[in-house]
Amino acid sequence: MARAAGVSQASVSLVLGGKWRGRVSARTAETVREAAQQLGYRPNLAARSLRTGSARTAMLVVPALTGDFFAQVHAGAARVAGEHDFGVVLYPSPEGIGRAPDPFDSARAALDGVIASSMAAEALSSLQDGGLPLVMLDSEPSDPMASAVVNPDIADGMRRVAAHLLDLGHRRVAHLAADVPSWTFRLRARALHEALGNFPGAELVATRGAALSVQDGQRAADELLALRPVPTAVVCDDDVLAAGVCKAARRAGLSVPGDLSVTGFDDLPLATALEPELTTVRLPAQEVGAAGMRALLAVLDGQRPATTTLPVALAPRASTGPAPH
Amino acid sequence: MARAAGVSQASVSLVLGGKWRGRVSARTAETVREAAQQLGYRPNLAARSLRTGSARTAMLVVPALTGDFFAQVHAGAARVAGEHDFGVVLYPSPEGIGRAPDPFDSARAALDGVIASSMAAEALSSLQDGGLPLVMLDSEPSDPMASAVVNPDIADGMRRVAAHLLDLGHRRVAHLAADVPSWTFRLRARALHEALGNFPGAELVATRGAALSVQDGQRAADELLALRPVPTAVVCDDDVLAAGVCKAARRAGLSVPGDLSVTGFDDLPLATALEPELTTVRLPAQEVGAAGMRALLAVLDGQRPATTTLPVALAPRASTGPAPH
DNA sequence: CTGAAAGCGCTTACAG
DNA sequence: CTGAAAGCGCTTACAG
């Protein structure tokens, strides 16, 4: 490339790196850019990374590719990364939120840092070996492994769900919990218990756990709907689970929301694909990703960013209605 | 690392690279491995890649992270990659199937090849500049850009849908097409037209296009259901669209499948989240990803792999039934 | 303003 | 069997 332009390697690097002002003449800079254009020249990333010791790349670890949530998180992170000439590499953990085998082997880009969303804390231990800065999303804020944490306000979301149902007159509420040992679901359970516990006359009549699938949700819902008296509302940790409850209700001959109110969480596309549409909690997924990337850049910059909490919103829709008497 | 083990750099490289047999003594090899363990030593990927000229990394370009299909494709590709000490880096094209801006800037890992799934052909032009081998998945088989193509048997899937409906006595069928200019959807449309056209008495009464969302599908379905006489079945290019039809049907007071049969395509988790569950076509997504990775490895190995077609299966469920008379 | 040179950490001939 | 050396393609002091 340098020979093609008839200039030194240094000039090429300076010009293409945008650091030429005051070090290379405008004329030379122009020559370089033309030649680069001509040749379709792309700097070798491996060489640059070896020389600078940085790959300008972050890895985003997510438990699953399914669902819109992580897609949004990635979109947000990628946007911010792009603004800082950074790249984002996605690593879907093969084990779900469980232990990530070895991201460094599988997505082997040279990395400057890791952003992990909604993973179980223990799952990230292999990441620690890398000695890379770790930003956690939707995760335990006091985790000592994390250089920074960015969370949607999960507890507030669940409180809003509870308030919404209490407003509608529901007093016998069941909880369909995600059987997943992560911070986000533990918090959802706790916030619901507290909100209901603090309201005189309201009762959390039962809790069932289920894996994050419609089928498991449906199976657990069957048990909940067999209770007597039947709860008037089922709060689900997740929209997928709520879909299972809706199926179970229909098969049990219960109408939603006439006989039973159902709430989801996350506002996945699924929430509006169902009929009736799900009342759920919308998480600012894009913003979570973007804030996570910003936090990582700050850490890389030597700063010590604080924990960030992002507001969530209740999306009241057709799956909730007044409690039957 | 070499100094720590008290051996030469070369020995370390040989041992850790598994190429030491007959070149390094067993004793030295053991020493190296112990030291590496102790130090938590990880070879610098940038240096290796610079030296060898290969990053042992493939990029998988997908139009969206939403939905299980691409997650499965990735899982398959990552599995095969891992077996060959390769990594896979995911690149969700920000523009959907449209033009991918510049993957090399955004997911900047040094790459040996690209696998692109379900993208519009033109969308990949910026990839071509990279001069990297390109394997296309779920794409036009005769595309000159592709070094290899791996396709699920889309046409056969659509033929099975048509046969299923014809078996059930449906003769007035409507098509809800995905408004997406990619090979996979063009082929779905063509196969359906042909299958219906070849069957005496059957008629494709109408076709509507819609973007790949429940809302757009529902809107287009409203038009289809306003036709007189009403079609007895709606064939959808995709499960998401089928969800929209089911919503529209319920709102129009039509029962599925009593008054109207609905079919999807892809067998997303959504298909069984709905009530009734969708009759749809299951694509071997994992196998598509795995075969794609194998094809890329073959190309990298100097071979010229043929186009691969993978069988699909009809998943008959509750959204289709006998045609009303 | 410009170019020659060092060096990032590997792998792979090559000489001992 | 072992080690010294070259070189991958960059970036960044450094000398002219």
Side-chain angles (χ1 to χ4, degrees):
Chain A
M1 164 65 200
R3 1 307 159 196
V7 300
S8 77
Q9 233 183 108
S11 305
V12 172
S13 177
L14 258 11
V15 171
L16 265 29
K19 302 183 183 166
W20 60 281
R21 305 217 140 270
R23 331 246 276 100
V24 177
S25 71
R27 209 157 111 25
T28 304
E30 192 47 39
T31 313
V32 169
R33 271 191 293 256
E34 268 172 24
Q37 182 70 32
Q38 282 283 329
L39 278 60
Y41 168 79
R42 288 171 179 286
N44 180 311
L45 257 21
R48 169 182 298 171
S49 153
L50 177 57
R51 172 62 229 236
T52 61
S54 155
R56 301 195 75 77
T57 300
M59 172 184 274
L60 174 61
V61 183
V62 299
L65 251 26
T66 308
D68 208 48
F69 179 72
F70 298 113
Q72 297 290 330
V73 170
H74 176 270
R79 180 168 49 76
V80 171
E83 289 162 8
H84 296 83
D85 194 26
F86 245 71
V88 174
V89 148
L90 240 193
Y91 183 72
S93 177
E95 309 293 324
I97 69 144
R99 185 155 204 298
D102 194 346
F104 302 104
D105 272 7
S106 177
R108 51 186 35 249
L111 262 21
D112 298 311
V114 176
I115 306 173
S117 180
S118 317
M119 301 289 293
E122 325 77 65
L124 271 1
S125 54
S126 78
L127 289 173
Q128 211 166 20
D129 303 342
L132 294 175
L134 172 64
V135 172
M136 311 236 292
L137 273 28
D138 192 26
S139 300
E140 174 62 48
S142 63
D143 193 307
M145 276 177 61
S147 307
V149 177
V150 175
N151 283 337
D153 198 341
I154 299 292
D156 184 57
M158 197 48 107
R159 268 181 242 121
R160 284 169 194 261
V161 168
H164 173 70
L165 290 173
L166 291 167
D167 270 0
L168 288 168
H170 294 272
R171 294 297 179 267
R172 294 196 317 281
V173 177
H175 180 209
L176 182 42
D179 219 351
V180 172
S182 66
W183 172 85
T184 195
F185 291 119
R186 275 194 302 274
L187 184 52
R188 290 172 199 201
R190 184 150 52 85
L192 178 64
H193 283 234
E194 288 178 4
L196 255 25
N198 291 337
F199 194 93
E203 191 190 355
L204 186 66
V205 295
T207 295
R208 287 290 181 287
L212 277 180
S213 76
V214 174
Q215 282 68 32
D216 284 275
Q218 186 180 348
R219 220 168 293 143
D222 285 340
E223 297 181 29
L224 255 14
L225 299 182
L227 296 174
R228 291 297 174 272
V230 163
T232 65
V234 180
V235 173
C236 301
D237 267 1
D238 172 87
D239 291 340
V240 170
L241 258 19
V245 175
C246 290
K247 266 179 94 170
R250 185 158 296 126
R251 297 195 174 186
L254 297 173
S255 101
V256 175
D259 302 314
L260 184 76
S261 285
V262 179
T263 64
F265 212 101
D266 289 354
D267 198 17
L268 306 179
L270 172 62
T272 48
L274 297 175
E275 178 72 23
E277 299 185 347
L278 285 180
T279 293
T280 185
V281 174
R282 177 175 307 134
L283 269 24
Q286 283 237 19
E287 259 319 297
V288 170
M293 190 66 214
R294 272 186 223 109
L296 179 59
L297 291 168
V299 172
L300 258 16
D301 197 39
Q303 302 167 42
R304 176 85 189 74
T307 292
T308 310
T309 301
L310 269 14
V312 304
L314 182 74
R317 291 198 275 247
S319 69
T320 48
H325 17 238
Chain B
M1 163 68 201
R3 2 307 159 196
V7 301
S8 79
Q9 232 184 109
S11 305
V12 172
S13 177
L14 258 10
V15 172
L16 265 30
K19 302 182 182 167
W20 61 281
R21 307 217 136 268
R23 331 245 276 101
V24 177
S25 71
R27 209 158 112 24
T28 305
E30 193 47 38
T31 313
V32 168
R33 271 191 293 257
E34 269 171 24
Q37 182 71 33
Q38 282 284 329
L39 279 60
Y41 169 79
R42 289 171 178 288
N44 180 310
L45 258 20
R48 171 183 295 171
S49 155
L50 177 57
R51 171 61 230 236
T52 62
S54 156
R56 300 194 76 77
T57 300
M59 172 185 274
L60 174 61
V61 184
V62 299
L65 249 26
T66 308
D68 208 49
F69 179 72
F70 297 114
Q72 297 290 329
V73 170
H74 175 270
R79 180 168 49 77
V80 171
E83 289 162 8
H84 295 82
D85 193 26
F86 245 72
V88 174
V89 148
L90 241 193
Y91 183 71
S93 179
E95 310 292 325
I97 69 146
R99 185 157 204 294
D102 192 346
F104 301 104
D105 272 7
S106 177
R108 54 186 33 251
L111 264 19
D112 297 311
V114 176
I115 307 173
S117 180
S118 316
M119 301 288 293
E122 324 77 66
L124 272 1
S125 54
S126 79
L127 289 174
Q128 210 164 21
D129 303 342
L132 294 175
L134 171 64
V135 172
M136 309 237 293
L137 272 29
D138 190 27
S139 300
E140 174 63 48
S142 63
D143 193 305
M145 274 177 61
S147 306
V149 177
V150 175
N151 283 337
D153 197 341
I154 298 291
D156 184 57
M158 198 47 110
R159 269 182 241 118
R160 285 169 194 260
V161 167
H164 173 70
L165 290 173
L166 291 167
D167 270 0
L168 288 167
H170 294 273
R171 294 298 178 266
R172 293 196 316 282
V173 177
H175 180 210
L176 181 43
D179 220 350
V180 172
S182 66
W183 173 84
T184 195
F185 292 118
R186 277 194 300 274
L187 183 52
R188 291 172 199 202
R190 186 149 52 83
L192 177 65
H193 283 235
E194 288 177 5
L196 256 24
N198 290 339
F199 194 93
E203 189 189 357
L204 185 64
V205 295
T207 294
R208 289 289 181 285
L212 276 180
S213 76
V214 174
Q215 282 68 33
D216 283 276
Q218 185 180 349
R219 220 168 293 142
D222 285 339
E223 297 182 29
L224 255 16
L225 299 181
L227 295 174
R228 291 297 175 271
V230 163
T232 66
V234 179
V235 173
C236 302
D237 267 359
D238 171 87
D239 291 340
V240 170
L241 259 18
V245 175
C246 289
K247 267 179 93 170
R250 184 158 297 128
R251 298 195 174 188
L254 296 174
S255 102
V256 175
D259 302 314
L260 184 76
S261 285
V262 178
T263 65
F265 213 102
D266 289 354
D267 199 17
L268 305 179
L270 173 62
T272 50
L274 297 174
E275 177 72 21
E277 298 185 346
L278 285 180
T279 293
T280 184
V281 175
R282 177 174 308 132
L283 269 22
Q286 283 237 20
E287 259 319 296
V288 170
M293 189 68 213
R294 272 186 222 109
L296 180 59
L297 291 167
V299 171
L300 257 16
D301 196 40
Q303 302 168 41
R304 175 83 187 77
T307 292
T308 310
T309 300
L310 268 13
V312 304
L314 183 74
R317 291 198 275 246
S319 69
T320 48
H325 16 237

